[in-house]
Amino acid sequence: MKKIAFIVNPKSGQHRSQDRARLIQSLVPEGLDYDILMWEKLEQKEELFKRALSGQYQIVAAAGGDGTVNTVAAALCGTDISLAIIPFGSGNGLARHLNIPMDTGKALQLLKTGRERKIDACEINQKLFFCTAGAGFDAHIGKLFAESRNRGMRTYAQMIIRQIAAYKPLRYKLHIDGVVSEHEAFLITFANAAQYGGNAYIAPLANIEDGLIDISIIYPFPLLKGLLIAYRMFNKSLHHSHDVQLLRGKHIILERAEPGPVHYDGEPDTMGTRLEIKILPSRLKVIVP
């Protein structure tokens, strides 16, 4: 029988860590051998990850949002240990792409009924991501959102409305497998999976197993047209927009005039003028329906 480690993020979210742990214990299918690993102090986190990777567990389940999933997936990348996802976030981009139920009980049932699937991983300046990464307006909003005291999709949407009219598109140079092009863009997203999260499809045709990164470039657009672009994002038709270009590649370099914000799997960061993005094919085992 496979043994499972549940890694539960103690950060506040839809449920506090103790609430999440109790919920998992109440819903986990009978007969499974598992431990719940939580850290009360940040310095305990590394020790818990060492325990999860020690060889006594064959499945490590990330119970949290996109940031938790990224952290656990990065630790498992290239190993024989399978990732399970128990979504507790607001976006849940990778979970949604892989059709993992948002219902906690149904997600836990996959530990008995699911199958293993090998998916690609990606790097941006040696930071691993499994869903999306990018620069431009979405990275700008991600930075502001991380600095905000208020959380949730409502706060995120309000920030977009306040910032979209004032945001100035930037110029970028893209090297895609040796082919160079220049773009003035509202944003550029590098997608392994099809969506950011919350069913917002930034790269509707992305295939998480094809060994390629989908590149979505949204060009500057009139403000009123933003509603149509948003609509297309949520009905999976963004690739039909005249304001969007979709490209693909394995090794991408993005150059920009100044350092600035980036995002990867929903996590905000600041990086320099040169971003290097690579695909790592078939690098992570995941439990899926």
Side-chain angles (χ1 to χ4, degrees):
M1 179 185 294
K2 292 183 177 180
K3 189 167 184 179
I4 304 157
F6 288 97
I7 293 185
V8 182
N9 190 334
K11 292 181 181 178
S12 61
Q14 288 186 14
H15 305 276
R16 292 176 299 180
S17 60
Q18 294 295 338
D19 295 336
R20 291 177 182 177
R22 282 191 289 268
L23 184 62
I24 289 167
Q25 287 173 322
S26 69
L27 295 173
V28 70
E30 287 186 14
L32 295 183
D33 186 9
Y34 69 94
D35 292 322
I36 292 180
L37 309 182
M38 288 189 300
W39 58 95
E40 294 181 4
K41 297 179 181 177
L42 195 57
E43 54 266 29
Q44 297 172 322
K45 181 178 176 181
E46 187 175 341
E47 190 60 37
L48 285 181
F49 270 77
K50 283 183 182 177
R51 182 180 167 191
L53 296 170
S54 65
Q56 62 178 307
Y57 301 106
Q58 291 74 50
I59 299 172
V60 177
D66 292 326
T68 303
V69 172
N70 174 276
T71 302
V72 176
L76 301 183
C77 198
T79 74
D80 286 328
I81 302 171
S82 297
L83 170 73
I85 302 174
I86 314 300
F88 280 104
S90 54
N92 302 310
L94 186 59
R96 291 179 190 275
H97 181 94
L98 295 172
N99 295 317
I100 292 169
M102 296 298 104
D103 178 83
T104 302
K106 291 178 181 178
L108 287 165
Q109 283 294 329
L110 294 184
L111 294 167
K112 272 198 162 182
T113 63
R115 64 180 179 89
E116 286 185 350
R117 179 178 171 186
K118 271 199 167 183
I119 67 168
D120 300 336
C122 303
E123 286 183 343
I124 179 167
N125 283 9
Q126 301 183 327
K127 298 277 191 180
L128 284 165
F129 69 96
F130 304 87
C131 203
T132 61
F137 181 73
D138 50 355
H140 170 68
I141 292 295
K143 178 177 181 293
L144 294 179
F145 187 67
E147 294 168 351
S148 172
R149 292 183 179 181
N150 299 319
R151 312 301 290 171
M153 293 304 292
R154 182 177 179 179
T155 299
Y156 196 82
Q158 288 172 341
M159 283 184 175
I160 291 173
I161 292 167
R162 286 197 299 266
Q163 294 288 323
I164 193 168
Y167 184 77
K168 290 183 170 51
L170 302 174
R171 292 204 64 82
Y172 302 94
K173 181 182 284 189
L174 275 176
H175 305 249
I176 303 173
D177 297 332
V179 178
V180 182
S181 57
E182 294 192 16
H183 308 266
E184 182 181 31
F186 182 70
L187 63 82
I188 298 180
T189 297
F190 307 102
N192 188 36
Q195 62 170 284
Y196 287 132
N199 292 320
Y201 287 82
I202 185 64
L205 305 180
N207 182 338
I208 207 163
E209 298 170 296
D210 64 356
L212 294 169
I213 298 167
D214 282 45
I215 305 152
S216 290
I217 305 170
I218 298 184
Y219 293 106
F221 52 83
L223 187 58
L224 287 177
K225 208 169 187 182
L227 294 173
L228 177 58
I229 289 173
Y231 171 77
R232 286 191 178 280
M233 199 175 290
F234 283 96
N235 78 351
K236 303 183 186 181
S237 66
L238 190 64
H239 53 300
H240 296 308
S241 172
H242 296 302
D243 300 295
V244 177
Q245 184 177 13
L246 301 185
L247 303 168
R248 287 193 175 102
K250 296 180 179 180
H251 184 196
I252 302 132
I253 294 170
L254 180 147
E255 296 177 338
R256 54 187 179 178
E258 297 178 357
V262 299
H263 66 86
Y264 51 91
D265 286 354
E267 294 296 297
D269 203 344
T270 300
M271 294 184 181
T273 58
R274 185 180 188 273
L275 307 178
E276 185 174 12
I277 303 94
K278 298 178 182 178
I279 191 78
L280 306 173
S282 301
R283 197 57 61 94
L284 180 68
K285 288 183 181 179
V286 189
I287 304 295
V288 300

